[in-house]
């Protein structure tokens, strides 16, 4: 039996040395050391040995078992480490490799225009404030002196969520909130998305962007308004730009006006873009804050006065970049966006 055990040992060690795959390790362990393995099968016959031989053969068997287990553990460790190294080499990333440059995005022309406008007004002493896009009817209409029969309050013009909650139709509610919370004096601008029912075409969209400004202080008059807007327009479009004020009506300002600017294409000389008038389309609306609006916000209209103005950022963006269709601003077509 001793000779049989030594023979099993030599054959097993020889096979273990030749193992090249991790899966073979377990197969050999089962073959020689498992419950039905070769070594176990031989030891089952120990009962046939003389009593004095059993301890000797048992010791030899234990030594062979320990030697085979050590050999199997050793080769398993080597193969596992080799497999790990191969996997690391295969999966590692060479950070020194040159690759094709990734295309990086950039600011959308609308966002770029908003930031440019905000920075411009900040340089003029204004603060930027923001407000919610879902507003109360009180802030969106009532506090702004809009009568209940005003067309803008109709279901055909405004997105109502409930009878008292709407998607804001302009950014003016931000001014109402600011006056109620901060009082006077005040000098702010606010920009953001607004919503109105509208048929989609090259100049109209049910979602658009506005920027509005508000100045409240003592002894504010129309001359202050005109001077502020003239500075703004020259800073935005150039020193040669001229402005034209036309009387208009807004329920929240009195007097009110619409403002035209020199045609950006011909700089006032007259061309097909401006129908040879030298003036571009209306750029913004403005006026002196109605005393009732001040009173609605808790501001003494006898002591304070103010002016407000509002403009469509989409329109300014279109004029600034020569875009002829507002839908291009919202379609996310990279062929269009990469031009800016």
């Amino acid at each position: 039996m001793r000779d049989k055990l030594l023979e099993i040992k030599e054959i097993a060690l020889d096979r273990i040395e030749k193992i090249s795959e991790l899966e073979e390790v377990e197969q050999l362990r089962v073959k020689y050391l498992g419950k039905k393995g070769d070594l176990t099968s031989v030891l089952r016959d120990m009962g046939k040995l003389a009593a004095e031989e059993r301890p000797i053969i048992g010791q030899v068997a234990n030594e062979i078992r320990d030697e085979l287990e050590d050999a199997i553990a050793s080769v398993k460790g080597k193969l596992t480490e080799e497999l790990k190294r191969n996997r690391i080499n295969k999966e590692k990333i060479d950070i020194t490799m040159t690759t094709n440059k990734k295309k990086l995005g950039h600011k959308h022309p609308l966002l770029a225009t908003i930031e440019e406008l905000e920075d411009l007004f900040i340089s003029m002493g204004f603060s930027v404030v923001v407000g919610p896009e879902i507003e109360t009817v009180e802030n969106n209409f009532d506090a702004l002196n809009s009568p209940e029969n005003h067309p803008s309050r109709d279901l055909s013009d405004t997105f109502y969520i409930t009878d008292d909650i709407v998607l804001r139709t302009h950014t003016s509610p931000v001014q109402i909130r600011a006056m109620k919370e901060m009082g006077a004096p005040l000098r702010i601008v606010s920009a953001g998305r607004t919503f109105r029912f509208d048929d989609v075409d090259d100049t109209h969209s049910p979602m658009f962007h506005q920027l509005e400004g508000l100045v409240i202080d003592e002894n504010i008059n129309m001359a202050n308004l005109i001077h502020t807007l003239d500075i703004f327009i020259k800073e935005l479009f150039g020193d040669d730009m001229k402005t034209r004020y036309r009387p208009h009506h807004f329920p929240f300002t009195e007097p009110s006006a619409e403002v035209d600017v020199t045609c950006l294409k011909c700089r006032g000389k007259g061309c097909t873009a401006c129908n040879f008038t030298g003036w571009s389309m209306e750029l913004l609306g403005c006026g002196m804050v109605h005393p009732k609006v001040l009173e609605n916000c808790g501001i003494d209209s006898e002591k304070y006065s103010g002016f407000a103005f509002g403009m469509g950022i989409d329109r300014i963006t279109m004029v600034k970049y020569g875009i002829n269709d507002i839908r291009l601003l919202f379609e996310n077509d990279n062929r269009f966006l990469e031009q800016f």
Side-chain angles (χ1 to χ4, degrees), residues 52-117:
E52 62 273 14
E53 291 182 335
R54 291 174 189 170
I56 298 173
I57 297 301
Q59 182 178 356
V60 171
N62 287 334
E63 291 174 353
I64 292 175
R65 178 180 293 278
D66 291 342
E67 191 172 350
L68 292 181
E69 286 179 346
D70 290 343
I72 288 173
S74 177
V75 72
K76 183 177 181 180
K78 291 178 181 178
L79 291 174
T80 301
E81 185 64 27
E82 183 180 348
L83 185 65
K84 181 180 178 180
R85 286 197 303 270
N86 291 338
R87 184 175 179 181
I88 291 175
N89 290 332
K90 183 178 179 181
E91 296 181 359
K92 73 177 181 180
I93 299 174
D94 185 354
I95 61 174
T96 65
M97 291 178 64
T98 57
T99 60
N100 295 329
K101 290 184 177 180
K102 301 257 184 212
K103 289 186 177 180
L104 298 178
H106 51 80
K107 290 179 182 177
H108 190 283
L110 267 175
L111 179 59
T113 301
I114 290 174
E115 292 187 355
E116 182 181 1
L117 293 175

Side-chain angles (χ1 to χ4, degrees), residues 246 259-261 279-284 315-316 318-319:
R246 292 179 286 104
V259 183
D260 301 329
V261 298
W279 297 98
S280 71
M281 57 184 173
E282 173 216 343
L283 188 68
L284 56 88
R315 177 172 295 183
I316 291 179
M318 293 171 69
V319 171

Side-chain angles (χ1 to χ4, degrees), residues 219-235:
N219 302 317
I220 297 295
N221 55 46
M222 197 73 178
N224 301 129
L225 167 61
I226 294 174
H227 179 66
T228 299
L229 293 182
D230 282 351
I231 292 177
F232 156 68
I233 291 170
K234 290 181 184 297
E235 288 290 331

Side-chain angles (χ1 to χ4, degrees), residues 187-207:
R187 185 180 296 185
I188 61 169
V189 291
S190 58
R193 292 187 299 181
T194 55
F195 309 87
R196 296 178 194 172
F197 274 121
D198 218 335
D199 294 327
V200 178
D201 58 27
D202 55 350
T203 59
H204 296 86
S205 170
M207 181 196 75

Side-chain angles (χ1 to χ4, degrees), residues 28-307:
L28 281 181
R29 188 195 69 77
V30 173
K31 176 174 175 57
Y32 291 106
L33 303 178
K35 291 181 179 180
K36 298 181 180 181
D38 293 355
L39 186 62
T40 306
S41 298
V42 173
L43 294 177
R44 286 198 185 101
D45 294 333
M46 285 185 63
K48 300 177 182 180
L49 297 175
E52 62 273 14
E53 291 182 335
R54 291 174 189 170
I56 298 173
I57 297 301
Q59 182 178 356
V60 171
N62 287 334
E63 291 174 353
I64 292 175
R65 178 180 293 278
D66 291 342
E67 191 172 350
L68 292 181
E69 286 179 346
D70 290 343
I72 288 173
S74 177
V75 72
K76 183 177 181 180
K78 291 178 181 178
L79 291 174
T80 301
E81 185 64 27
E82 183 180 348
L83 185 65
K84 181 180 178 180
R85 286 197 303 270
N86 291 338
R87 184 175 179 181
I88 291 175
N89 290 332
K90 183 178 179 181
E91 296 181 359
K92 73 177 181 180
I93 299 174
D94 185 354
I95 61 174
T96 65
M97 291 178 64
T98 57
T99 60
N100 295 329
K101 290 184 177 180
K102 301 257 184 212
K103 289 186 177 180
L104 298 178
H106 51 80
K107 290 179 182 177
H108 190 283
L110 267 175
L111 179 59
T113 301
I114 290 174
E115 292 187 355
E116 182 181 1
L117 293 175
E118 288 179 341
D119 289 344
L120 199 161
F121 281 110
I122 288 173
S123 71
M124 296 170 64
F126 286 76
S127 298
V128 176
V129 296
V130 295
E133 295 176 354
I134 299 177
E135 261 295 358
T136 63
V137 170
E138 163 67 24
N139 287 340
N140 196 79
F141 292 123
D142 297 336
L144 285 162
N145 198 38
S146 296
E148 293 187 3
N149 62 352
H150 194 279
S152 65
R153 302 181 67 144
D154 290 344
L155 291 173
S156 59
D157 279 356
T158 298
F159 294 101
Y160 281 84
I161 297 176
T162 68
D163 289 343
D164 300 319
I165 304 294
V166 298
L167 293 181
R168 66 182 183 187
T169 60
H170 43 193
T171 50
S172 299
V174 181
Q175 299 177 356
I176 295 298
R177 289 174 175 268
M179 284 188 283
K180 288 180 177 179
E181 294 173 10
M182 304 177 191
L186 196 64
R187 185 180 296 185
I188 61 169
V189 291
S190 58
R193 292 187 299 181
T194 55
F195 309 87
R196 296 178 194 172
F197 274 121
D198 218 335
D199 294 327
V200 178
D201 58 27
D202 55 350
T203 59
H204 296 86
S205 170
M207 181 196 75
F208 53 100
H209 298 74
Q210 279 191 341
L211 181 141
E212 297 192 21
L214 174 70
V215 173
I216 303 292
D217 209 333
E218 297 183 39
N219 302 317
I220 297 295
N221 55 46
M222 197 73 178
N224 301 129
L225 167 61
I226 294 174
H227 179 66
T228 299
L229 293 182
D230 282 351
I231 292 177
F232 156 68
I233 291 170
K234 290 181 184 297
E235 288 290 331
L236 184 65
F237 296 117
D239 290 337
D240 60 336
M241 296 297 288
K242 296 180 180 179
T243 54
R244 180 175 66 179
Y245 293 79
R246 292 179 286 104
H248 195 69
H249 170 72
F250 300 113
F252 32 82
T253 54
E254 181 62 37
S256 306
E258 289 185 339
V259 183
D260 301 329
V261 298
T262 304
C263 175
L264 290 177
K265 188 171 184 179
C266 66
R267 313 304 282 191
K269 296 178 180 178
C271 64
T272 54
C274 61
N275 292 323
F276 299 97
T277 64
W279 297 98
S280 71
M281 57 184 173
E282 173 216 343
L283 188 68
L284 56 88
C286 63
M288 300 301 297
V289 179
H290 198 292
K292 190 172 181 180
V293 173
L294 296 177
E295 297 293 342
N296 289 339
C297 297
I299 296 176
D300 185 356
S301 61
E302 294 293 329
K303 180 179 180 181
Y304 293 102
S305 58
F307 64 78

